[in-house]
Amino acid sequence: MKKTVIAIVGPTAVGKTGLSVEIAGRFNGEVISGDSMQVYKGLDIGTAKITDEEKQGVPHYMLDIKHPEESFSVADYQRLVQHYIEEIDSHGKVPIIAGGSGLYIQAALFDYHFSRQRRDEKVTQQLERRLNDQGADVLYNYLQRVDPDQAAKIHPNNHRRLIRALEVYETTGITMSEYQKNQTDQSPYNPIFIGLEMDRDLLYKRINNRVDQMLDQGLLEEAKSLYNHGYENHQAMRGIGYKEFVPYLKGEQPFDETVRLLKRNSRRYAKRQYTWFKNKMNVNWYTITPEKSKETFRNILTDLAGMLQNI
């Protein structure tokens, strides 16, 4: 019999964290973070990492397991989450994944098959030399020619993913997109997807307010600490909430412009999250408003009880 996993998904700032704790308390669950950046120590404010008080005694996994200088891939996430699903289930608890990193959650719950092609150090070194000598734009343009679908998913400054995509193509003749098209839509689990959505204008206002709150809580100081420790070019500082501060810290951009870009990028990210979850997963969506969030949560808990009984 397949193990049941509850997944709480949706855009940033919509209320997933609070709902996950409510569900864990009601259905004897434990929570796994579905945020690819919350794995990093020291990235607390900018990732809206849950506090000990907010956990309300519910065990949480996939938080603070990496140092900022370490890389962390979708495959790493898949392996660890599948391990924790087994561990939580063995305790007689219900695994609950809560977060907005769609590809990561999909990879874990649908046993996404990654390219097993071993890294070819020779090819990697050649690509790294081209990157250093010619710049990221040249390699990115190359990827756009051979695998435009994959290029659309990778930021030109994400050198690790850029090189990996080209390395797979050059060593196998098969693009990363071709690997991804061969994925199964069958899950080794029985996943129940609960999605929170909100009126777009209301959500965007909520995101803007959340950025202001993060700044009040010390987001600038958090980003500055990471920058001063030399993490500018590491994966940890490429996420929204951190990368926007780099030009400011270098004296190349005014603070007001930094905040504007941070809010804009956060809103755009929320839009991409909506698109991903609506296109990729069979989600039970619930519209939420701040005034009626408790009522919506009660409805979700009631519906979930029925879903779990029917398994």
Side-chain angles (χ1 to χ4, degrees):
M1 187 173 178
K2 291 182 177 181
K3 297 175 176 62
T4 296
V5 181
I6 299 171
I8 314 301
V9 302
T12 185
V14 79
K16 299 182 296 295
T17 298
L19 177 59
S20 68
V21 173
E22 293 255 1
I23 290 174
R26 172 74 177 273
F27 298 105
N28 193 29
E30 298 184 350
V31 179
I32 301 169
S33 170
D35 187 302
S36 62
M37 300 301 287
Q38 290 184 353
V39 299
Y40 288 110
K41 298 176 181 179
L43 278 69
D44 301 325
I45 300 170
T47 64
K49 195 177 292 176
I50 190 170
T51 65
D52 288 340
E53 182 180 358
E54 290 169 335
K55 290 176 185 175
Q56 298 182 28
V58 174
H60 279 65
Y61 302 84
M62 298 297 288
L63 301 173
D64 301 322
I65 61 172
K66 290 285 183 179
H67 293 286
E69 68 271 19
E70 296 181 278
S71 62
F72 186 74
S73 69
V74 183
D76 294 330
Y77 180 85
Q78 179 194 62
R79 174 178 53 81
L80 288 168
V81 167
Q82 291 181 346
H83 164 75
Y84 286 127
I85 288 173
E86 296 295 324
E87 183 176 314
I88 293 169
D89 180 78
S90 72
H91 298 158
K93 305 279 189 175
V94 177
I96 300 165
I97 299 178
S101 297
L103 175 60
Y104 285 70
I105 295 172
Q106 184 188 36
L109 293 183
F110 290 88
D111 204 23
Y112 193 103
H113 296 289
F114 296 93
S115 168
R116 301 303 179 190
Q117 175 70 25
R118 294 180 62 85
R119 298 201 77 111
D120 187 321
E121 290 299 327
K122 200 171 188 182
V123 173
T124 302
Q125 290 169 7
Q126 290 173 348
L127 290 167
E128 287 175 345
R129 279 197 296 271
R130 287 186 63 184
L131 177 69
N132 293 329
D133 295 343
Q134 302 173 20
D137 287 344
V138 172
L139 288 188
Y140 188 71
N141 290 337
Y142 173 30
L143 182 62
Q144 284 182 311
R145 291 196 302 273
V146 299
D147 190 357
D149 290 341
Q150 192 66 21
K153 301 175 185 177
I154 298 176
H155 192 281
N157 291 337
N158 194 332
H159 299 165
R160 181 180 59 85
R161 288 186 63 194
L162 179 59
I163 286 177
R164 178 56 177 163
L166 289 172
E167 179 191 50
V168 168
Y169 174 71
E170 292 204 347
T171 54
T172 68
I174 300 172
T175 66
M176 287 289 279
S177 294
E178 289 177 270
Y179 276 111
Q180 293 171 1
K181 284 176 184 175
N182 292 325
Q183 304 307 320
T184 178
D185 59 0
Q186 298 299 310
S187 174
Y189 307 106
N190 178 36
I192 298 175
F193 290 99
I194 302 295
L196 294 180
E197 59 183 350
M198 185 177 285
D199 172 80
R200 192 65 56 90
D201 291 338
L202 182 58
L203 178 65
Y204 286 175
K205 183 178 179 181
R206 189 176 172 97
I207 289 170
N208 291 341
N209 290 338
R210 180 190 242 190
V211 169
D212 291 333
Q213 291 170 1
M214 287 178 169
L215 290 168
D216 289 341
Q217 292 167 359
L219 177 57
L220 171 59
E221 290 73 18
E222 186 171 88
K224 186 175 182 180
S225 176
L226 293 167
Y227 177 79
N228 289 341
H229 278 86
Y231 299 135
E232 174 190 350
N233 295 316
H234 289 82
Q235 185 177 345
M237 275 207 79
R238 294 191 187 123
I240 296 171
Y242 298 97
K243 65 181 181 181
E244 290 84 3
F245 286 100
V246 173
Y248 168 73
L249 293 170
K250 288 182 172 182
E252 300 171 354
Q253 179 174 279
F255 183 71
D256 288 349
E257 176 65 4
T258 300
V259 174
R260 186 191 71 81
L261 290 173
L262 174 51
K263 290 179 178 180
R264 185 203 68 181
N265 292 346
S266 298
R267 295 192 302 269
R268 288 181 175 178
Y269 178 53
K271 186 176 180 180
R272 292 197 301 273
Q273 288 174 301
Y274 265 130
T275 301
W276 178 277
F277 288 118
K278 287 183 179 289
N279 291 341
K280 299 285 187 179
M281 297 177 185
N282 184 22
V283 178
N284 301 284
W285 289 101
Y286 294 82
T287 300
I288 190 168
T289 63
E291 297 80 12
K292 295 187 176 181
S293 61
K294 290 183 179 180
E295 179 183 336
T296 304
F297 282 12
R298 284 196 298 269
N299 292 338
I300 292 171
L301 293 173
T302 299
D303 290 350
L304 255 179
M307 294 177 197
L308 291 170
Q309 275 186 343
N310 291 329
I311 293 173

